[in-house]
Structures are given as structure tokens and as C-alpha cells.
Amino acid sequence: MKRTALLLFSLALSACGSSYAQQGPSDTLRAYAQALQEGRVDAAYRLLSDEAKRSMSLEAFRRAVRDNPDDALEIARAIARPAADPVVTATVTMPNGEELLLVFEGGRWRLDAAAVDLYGQATPRQALVGFLRAFERRRYDIVMRYVPDAEKEGLVDAAGGAADAAVEASAAGAAQPAGPEGAAGGAGADAAQKPGGRPGTARAAAGAAQLTPEKLKTAWEGPQREQINRVVQAIKAALPTATIEETGDSASMAYGAGGTVAFTREHGVWKIKDF
């Protein structure tokens, strides 16, 4: 019953943005709620989006309302009185995988503030796009924003881990080095000590315990530059069509031949834990 109620509610929400050209979201919500309250199931169904209708046929919708009348009425009463004015938004994916948010205001579509934030961290995808942009522009001061706090401070391996892990991944053909996590120590500490001819210059460049933009530059523009660039290109190639899976404050994105970008949310913004 709860699952059915949830499905009905999600279908109702799908209807909100489907007819804004003819009427506002509030009008659609009220019409949907009124149809359910008055038992006009077919009329309510007509207000659903095409996607919602594909997920539930008219007959299945009728049956769900008939079998759970109390739930249907409860949903109708709830959506008839929204707590705030509806906001209509749209997301556009750019060729490079970056997502732009648009907001419908005053009868016009307008770009959200994220459109002017070249190094945003509001979503995992935005964080990855910003990280790649900073890396390509050699803005290591900005790259530091995407490194989790615990991995920037107090770990000796710093930038060396990322570069050494890049070489290891390249040698294995997996194109999966540790990114900022490796840059702060992570798997890179072990990678630097394993056999395979990986240079230790980047590890040595880390020097003191705290990671700095200068140490990142030394590591990522040193002998390991070619390998890290190869991984970055693999991530860029996958980004436009890649799916980023979020679970609480963690997220991940697969790329290349078994590579994974791992994200973590810290202080309300997304950072790159590993790649």
C-alpha cells in the first residue's frame, strides 16, 4: 500500500512540469487533486506526463486508486496545498558532460547561478567538470578545493601517491590512478613501494606532511605527466554519457576499462576522493 501511495505521488509530481505552457504547476496540482477527490480517475490520469503513463497504464492506475482510496485521498489533500510556490526547472547536458540548470521565472527560462560558477561543487558531476577544468588550466590552487580535508593535511605521501598510482594503472592498462585521494596519500603510499619501475620523484616532491598546490604541480607535471593525462582524457571521454550513482554523502562514476571516480560530500560540497 505504501509503495502504491508513493508511486501515485511520484506520478503526480511528474505531471507538474508537463503542462506549464498551458497552465502553471499549481493549476495542474489542484486539477489533479480535485480529480482524485471527486473520483474522476481518468481525468487525473490525463494530467500525467508521457513518462508517467509509460510506467503505469490507465487500467493499472484505476486499480491502484480503487484498491487504495484512502491513500489516494490523502495524496490529493497533500498536493492541493503545496508548502511553497512550485519552481519549474530544466537540466541541459552539454557535449562535455557538464549540466546546466535553467529556472522558469516570469514566463521565461533563465540560467541558474551554477552556469557562471566554473568550479562548482554542488553536484558530483559539477565537481568533476570543475576539477578537470582546473587541471587542464594548471590551476592547482583550485584543484586543492576538490581534495578532501583529511587527505590534504597530515599525510606524508601527498602528491606522490596520485602520480605513482597513475603510472601503476597505466602499466596495467586499466587507466585508473588515485586522484586527489592518492594525491594525499591513499593507495599511493603502497603503490610507490611496489615493484614495476614507478619513479619516486613525485613522492619525494611531497616533502612535508601537508599537500600544497606546488607539490601537486611537481607531481602531476613531472615524469608521470603522460600517464595522468591519459587518465584525464579517459574520464573526459566517458563523462558526457556516464551515470553518477549517489548514496548519501558518497558517489561514484565508472569510466574507461574499469576505472572509477569516487566522490565524497564534505561541508555540503562534493570533492573527489579517488580516480
Side-chain angles (χ1 to χ4, degrees):
M1 183 177 294
K2 290 183 178 180
R3 181 178 179 278
T4 301
L6 180 60
L7 178 58
L8 285 173
F9 183 63
S10 65
L11 291 175
L13 291 180
S14 298
C16 296
S18 62
S19 304
Y20 71 85
Q22 292 77 27
Q23 55 187 345
S26 295
D27 298 323
T28 302
L29 283 172
R30 284 192 295 268
Y32 181 84
Q34 186 175 0
L36 285 181
Q37 289 172 331
E38 296 175 356
R40 295 183 290 109
V41 180
D42 289 14
Y45 186 80
R46 285 194 293 271
L47 290 170
L48 302 183
S49 67
D50 291 342
E51 181 179 355
K53 291 174 182 176
R54 283 193 294 269
S55 67
M56 176 178 276
S57 66
L58 173 58
E59 184 54 38
F61 186 79
R62 289 170 177 166
R63 185 167 56 252
V65 175
R66 182 181 64 246
D67 294 346
N68 304 279
D70 293 339
D71 291 332
L73 289 176
E74 181 180 347
I75 291 172
R77 286 191 292 267
I79 65 177
R81 299 185 302 274
D85 293 335
V87 177
V88 180
T89 63
T91 301
V92 178
T93 302
M94 308 299 288
N96 65 352
E98 186 173 1
E99 292 183 343
L100 294 180
L101 180 67
L102 292 92
V103 181
F104 194 69
E105 294 179 342
R108 294 184 178 182
W109 286 103
R110 303 179 186 276
L111 290 169
D112 183 68
V116 297
D117 188 356
L118 299 179
Y119 302 104
Q121 294 174 263
T123 67
R125 185 177 296 273
Q126 191 180 53
L128 184 55
V129 170
F131 170 81
L132 293 174
R133 180 178 284 122
F135 175 80
E136 290 181 335
R137 288 160 175 73
R138 300 181 182 181
R139 291 294 308 275
Y140 296 107
D141 56 324
I142 295 177
V143 169
M144 292 289 291
R145 300 179 189 175
Y146 300 95
V147 182
D149 291 351
E151 295 161 3
K152 286 191 294 188
E153 303 171 357
L155 294 179
V156 174
D157 298 307
D164 291 338
V167 179
E168 180 180 20
S170 175
Q176 184 185 0
E181 180 181 32
D190 295 331
Q193 299 175 12
K194 293 178 182 178
R198 287 168 295 283
T201 54
R203 177 183 170 91
Q210 189 171 14
L211 180 63
T212 66
E214 291 73 22
K215 292 169 186 174
L216 274 179
K217 180 178 181 179
T218 299
W220 287 357
E221 294 186 13
Q224 297 80 23
R225 178 177 180 175
E226 180 180 347
Q227 289 82 0
I228 290 185
N229 285 342
R230 186 179 300 128
V231 174
V232 167
Q233 292 305 314
I235 294 175
K236 287 182 62 178
L239 185 57
T241 57
T243 298
I244 298 181
E245 299 180 356
E246 291 185 39
T247 304
D249 289 333
S250 299
S252 63
M253 187 196 88
Y255 72 92
T260 301
V261 181
F263 306 84
T264 184
R265 183 159 47 195
E266 187 175 79
H267 310 306
V269 298
W270 286 95
K271 299 184 179 183
I272 300 173
K273 185 177 180 181
D274 188 28
F275 69 81

